[in-house]
Amino acid sequence: MKVLVATSKPFAKVAVDGIRKVIEGAGYELVLLEKYTEKSALLSAVADVDAIIIRSDIIDAEVFDAAKQLKIVVRAGAGYDNVDLESATAHGVCVMNTPGQNANAVAELVAGLMVYAVRNFYNGTSGIELLGKKLGIHAFGNVGRNVARIAKGFGMEVYAFDAYCPKEVIEAAGVHAVDSVEDMYKTCQFISLHLPATDETKNSIGRNLVGLMPKGAVLVNSARKEIINEEELIQLMQEREDIKFVSDIAPAAAAKFEELFAGRYFATPKKMGAQTAEANINAGIAAANQIVGFIKDGCTKFMVNR
Ligand code: 3PG
């Protein structure tokens, strides 16, 4: 059995060491393809492997066609919009993610982005504090729950909306569950986005919602750039100079945001939420264990293309 770790954005070394221990401990071979820049490198690396561990790496039909022995792909992380699930199923390949394993890392980055925004990007001028402010969490999954926990530590009043999460679960976390997403945007000066990128959510965050936010609005996106309607957000931010937008992923129109909204916009150069040793270890080793469990025992927990 040959397992490939294909990461254009590599894991911390300590995580790769942990993955190696699990894979070699099971008697399999581990091969690494890190920091690759060309798809051709990925296509040749997958040719003779049985399993692949990836991060945001794109696994499309061409990759599945090239991977003749492939049985399983594990996305070490939460979002699997980078994997063509239909093609995986057509090729008889199991796809899994590792939910929750990097959630705290992303949530801590969200806290950092909020502080950065309200302290005027550390430009030396007087800002505001998070204490007592209202934060709305849009989608209450693993990351959203961690953001809620941390925000409560700041003394923020936390609200959440999640069409798929029972209100009782939200309330059990000490968070106000709102009935309508519009009400949450109307109420909260801070909104943190935690939606996956799906047909339903793509382009769904625009004027319709952000336009409802109170004065001094701060929009934080640590999810996927595709969920934001950038054209509408740009127009809205031109009309409303009080809105700030901080993102852990450069929007498609990054140059425009930079040019128009100096002092009100920041994006990380590369998606950094899950870039911690701890998150790499948690997600990477979970991925390795899931591969061993699948190959040895047929365990399909966390399979996402059923
Ligand atoms: C995720 O979906 O798990 C996060 O966005 C992290 O992605 P990354 O592994 O590419 O940093």
Side-chain angles (χ1 to χ4, degrees):
M1 287 287 160
K2 204 166 177 178
V3 180
L4 171 72
V5 173
T7 45
S8 60
K9 184 174 62 183
F11 292 120
K13 187 185 173 301
V14 61
V16 177
D17 293 345
I19 293 170
R20 183 179 298 285
K21 215 168 150 196
V22 173
I23 297 301
E24 293 181 351
Y28 308 158
E29 184 188 346
L30 184 78
V31 281
L32 296 180
L33 174 69
E34 293 180 314
K35 288 192 198 168
Y36 66 95
T37 49
E38 302 301 324
K39 189 177 184 184
S40 55
L42 180 63
L43 292 176
S44 14
V46 300
D48 62 344
V49 302
D50 301 281
I52 313 178
I53 296 175
I54 52 160
R55 294 185 65 177
S56 295
D57 307 78
I58 309 288
I59 305 295
D60 59 13
E62 204 184 346
V63 179
F64 285 114
D65 285 341
K68 301 278 182 247
Q69 285 179 213
L70 191 61
K71 295 161 188 63
I72 176 167
V73 173
V74 183
R75 193 284 189 238
Y80 45 86
D81 47 304
N82 48 321
V83 181
D84 182 338
L85 296 188
E86 244 173 67
S87 178
T89 306
H91 285 80
V93 176
C94 166
V95 180
M96 294 182 184
N97 66 348
T98 65
Q101 300 290 349
N102 58 21
N104 179 64
V106 179
E108 288 189 11
L109 190 96
V110 168
L113 287 173
M114 287 197 295
V115 173
Y116 193 43
V118 295
R119 295 305 184 95
N120 303 327
F121 305 98
Y122 302 151
N123 70 358
T125 63
S126 185
I128 60 163
E129 297 177 23
L130 297 177
L131 178 70
K133 305 296 187 300
K134 294 185 169 74
L135 166 68
I137 297 180
H138 195 161
F140 203 63
N142 290 305
V143 181
R145 288 164 211 214
N146 276 281
V147 171
R149 170 180 54 79
I150 295 168
K152 284 199 284 174
F154 277 111
M156 298 185 87
E157 211 181 302
V158 186
Y159 295 74
F161 176 83
D162 190 320
Y164 301 98
C165 178
K167 273 178 96 171
E168 302 75 58
V169 173
I170 295 176
E171 270 154 15
V175 170
H176 304 287
V178 290
D179 286 321
S180 92
V181 68
E182 285 83 6
D183 281 350
M184 185 172 76
Y185 279 75
K186 271 184 210 156
T187 306
C188 296
Q189 184 181 349
F190 294 78
I191 292 284
S192 188
L193 300 172
H194 301 291
L195 297 157
T198 63
D199 289 344
E200 189 191 347
T201 63
K202 279 181 189 163
N203 278 315
S204 67
I205 311 297
R207 176 184 291 277
N208 55 332
L209 293 173
V210 186
L212 301 173
M213 291 176 72
K215 202 169 165 10
V218 177
L219 178 68
V220 187
N221 186 18
S222 63
R224 293 290 180 271
K225 64 171 185 271
E226 290 82 2
I227 65 176
I228 291 191
N229 183 326
E230 294 185 10
E231 213 172 291
E232 285 188 15
L233 182 60
I234 288 171
Q235 270 181 14
L236 187 66
M237 287 178 71
Q238 280 177 310
E239 290 161 28
R240 276 188 51 182
E241 292 190 358
D242 62 299
I243 298 178
K244 285 181 178 162
F245 173 45
V246 284
S247 182
D248 179 25
I249 182 79
K256 209 157 185 191
F257 277 95
E258 256 160 48
E259 178 198 321
L260 293 173
F261 308 122
R264 294 200 281 142
Y265 158 78
F266 168 79
T268 51
K270 218 178 222 191
K271 198 156 182 52
M272 288 186 58
Q275 276 296 58
T276 66
E278 293 89 337
N280 289 173
I281 292 168
N282 293 343
I285 293 177
N289 280 321
Q290 286 172 219
I291 286 173
V292 175
F294 177 77
I295 291 176
K296 284 211 192 303
D297 306 319
C299 177
T300 54
K301 195 173 175 194
F302 303 127
M303 181 171 175
V304 293
N305 62 329
R306 285 180 196 278

